[in-house]
Amino acid sequence: MVIIGILIVMGCVFGGFALMGGTVHAIWQPVELIIIIGAAVGALVLGNPKHVLGEMLHQMRKVVTHKKQGSEFQRQLLLLMYELLQTAAGGLKALDAHVEAPRESPLFQRYPLVLEEPKLLAFIVDNFRLMAMGKINAHELEGVLEQELEAIHDELLQPSKSLHKIAEAMPGFGILAAVLGIVMAMNSVADGADAAEISEKVGAAMVGTFIGIFFCYGVLDPMCNMMKQLVSEEGSTMECVKVVLVTHVAGKPPLLAIDSGRRLVQLNIKPSFAQLESWINALESGGAEAEQGQGRGGRRAKTA
């Protein structure tokens, strides 16, 4: 969809310009681009700390390469939470081997799509550690998680907010470049340039205004919108985990806790309860078959 959107914008804007008799040479003004893009990048660096700039680059890269969190991701997340709750039923201390080094845990390794999300993984691991550290009731846990999610959401939204401000400033940067171009054109008048040369310089100056408006509404504003949607997607996934944990601490069985989290999954990829139950049944039947296989292997070893 990102590629299709870029093709539509570029095709309509520059294709329409070509149909009107325009040439690419007329709007190719590298000095104007240097002024406008350089001013925008400088303003970003001036107005944001290093960690915000790093997160901004990460989110912009993810907009282009991001794969939507589909039904397979939700299946892995819900089954991971179910296995962790089942492990916690034997005592929260049993989780230490998994939450201390999740990337080395065979339990987590069965769910690679979750391991690819470092923020989500850290959220899951940290809060299972919190539950293992001491007695905490459902109300207290819900309050702690709500505050944490609010802080995470605000921090992840900061890059898109900063980029949106730069997007709104792009027409101003374009006018800045256009004014400098007009100054150069007026200087050429004083130097005795002919009308054709002056008109060419004025036209080049006006390209600066075009570039600023184009980058504002055709590039950066859609980019900010996509970054906000990515943050919202990550937030809804963490909300799902939060509800599962709170429901578990409230004393509900694992299946009910997982179903409570399932209800917060985005509508377009939300599994039904029957589908969730089938996933869990397949997981448990697979585990039972593995145990039976190990038992048969052990008996054969003793016989030998």
Side-chain angles (χ1 to χ4, degrees), residues 32 35-37 39-41 43 166 169-178 208-209 212:
E32 302 275 342
I35 294 172
I36 296 169
I37 297 178
V41 172
I166 295 299
M170 289 302 287
F173 291 137
I175 293 172
L176 174 66
T209 305

Side-chain angles (χ1 to χ4, degrees), residues 31-77:
V31 177
E32 302 275 342
L33 284 170
I34 292 173
I35 294 172
I36 296 169
I37 297 178
V41 172
L44 274 175
V45 174
L46 182 64
N48 295 279
K50 186 177 180 180
H51 73 276
V52 173
L53 295 175
E55 180 63 26
M56 184 184 299
L57 289 175
H58 173 72
Q59 291 185 13
M60 293 174 69
R61 190 163 53 246
K62 202 170 181 181
V63 165
V64 180
T65 62
H66 177 62
K67 294 180 180 179
K68 288 289 184 182
Q69 294 180 348
S71 58
E72 175 59 20
F73 174 82
Q74 297 301 330
R75 184 189 74 83
Q76 292 194 19
L77 175 63

Side-chain angles (χ1 to χ4, degrees), residues 7-268:
L7 291 176
I8 291 173
V9 172
M10 301 289 286
C12 291
V13 173
F14 295 102
F17 177 72
L19 289 174
M20 293 174 63
T23 60
V24 177
H25 175 73
I27 57 176
W28 174 245
Q29 302 295 335
V31 177
E32 302 275 342
L33 284 170
I34 292 173
I35 294 172
I36 296 169
I37 297 178
V41 172
L44 274 175
V45 174
L46 182 64
N48 295 279
K50 186 177 180 180
H51 73 276
V52 173
L53 295 175
E55 180 63 26
M56 184 184 299
L57 289 175
H58 173 72
Q59 291 185 13
M60 293 174 69
R61 190 163 53 246
K62 202 170 181 181
V63 165
V64 180
T65 62
H66 177 62
K67 294 180 180 179
K68 288 289 184 182
Q69 294 180 348
S71 58
E72 175 59 20
F73 174 82
Q74 297 301 330
R75 184 189 74 83
Q76 292 194 19
L77 175 63
L78 294 174
L79 289 182
L80 170 63
M81 295 302 296
Y82 180 80
E83 285 207 67
L84 289 172
L85 295 185
Q86 289 286 75
T87 305
L92 289 172
K93 291 298 182 181
L95 290 171
D96 287 348
H98 302 294
V99 298
E100 292 301 325
R103 297 189 181 278
E104 300 173 6
S105 164
L107 191 155
F108 279 90
Q109 289 174 359
R110 288 197 290 271
Y111 306 102
L113 294 182
V114 179
L115 287 176
E116 292 176 1
E117 299 292 333
K119 298 184 184 69
L120 175 62
L121 182 64
F123 183 76
I124 294 173
V125 169
D126 287 349
N127 286 294
F128 269 103
R129 282 199 192 104
L130 173 65
M131 292 163 54
M133 286 171 62
K135 187 67 176 178
I136 184 170
N137 61 45
H139 180 71
E140 292 172 340
L141 180 62
E142 185 175 14
V144 170
L145 294 185
E146 283 180 355
Q147 291 178 350
E148 182 180 5
L149 286 177
E150 184 178 354
I152 292 173
H153 187 262
D154 290 343
E155 184 173 348
L156 293 181
L157 274 182
Q158 189 56 49
S160 62
K161 290 180 179 178
S162 298
L163 190 62
H164 184 68
K165 290 180 180 179
I166 295 299
E168 291 178 337
M170 289 302 287
F173 291 137
I175 293 172
L176 174 66
V179 169
L180 294 176
I182 294 297
V183 170
M184 296 297 296
M186 293 301 100
N187 286 338
S188 66
V189 172
D191 294 337
D194 56 17
E197 185 179 351
I198 295 171
S199 63
E200 183 178 353
K201 290 187 176 181
V202 171
M206 292 298 100
V207 171
T209 305
F210 160 74
I211 293 173
I213 296 173
F214 176 77
F215 270 93
C216 173
Y217 297 107
V219 179
L220 295 183
D221 194 58
M223 180 73 71
C224 295
N225 188 45
M226 284 294 296
M227 289 166 65
K228 289 178 182 177
Q229 291 183 34
L230 288 177
V231 172
S232 177
E233 186 177 292
E234 290 187 14
S236 66
T237 304
M238 292 184 184
E239 283 281 351
C240 171
V241 173
K242 182 200 83 169
V243 170
V244 170
L245 295 177
V246 171
T247 307
H248 170 70
V249 172
K252 306 301 180 184
L255 180 59
L256 182 57
I258 298 300
D259 183 60
S260 300
R262 175 193 67 86
R263 297 173 185 274
L264 271 72
V265 175
Q266 294 177 348
L267 285 175
N268 59 323

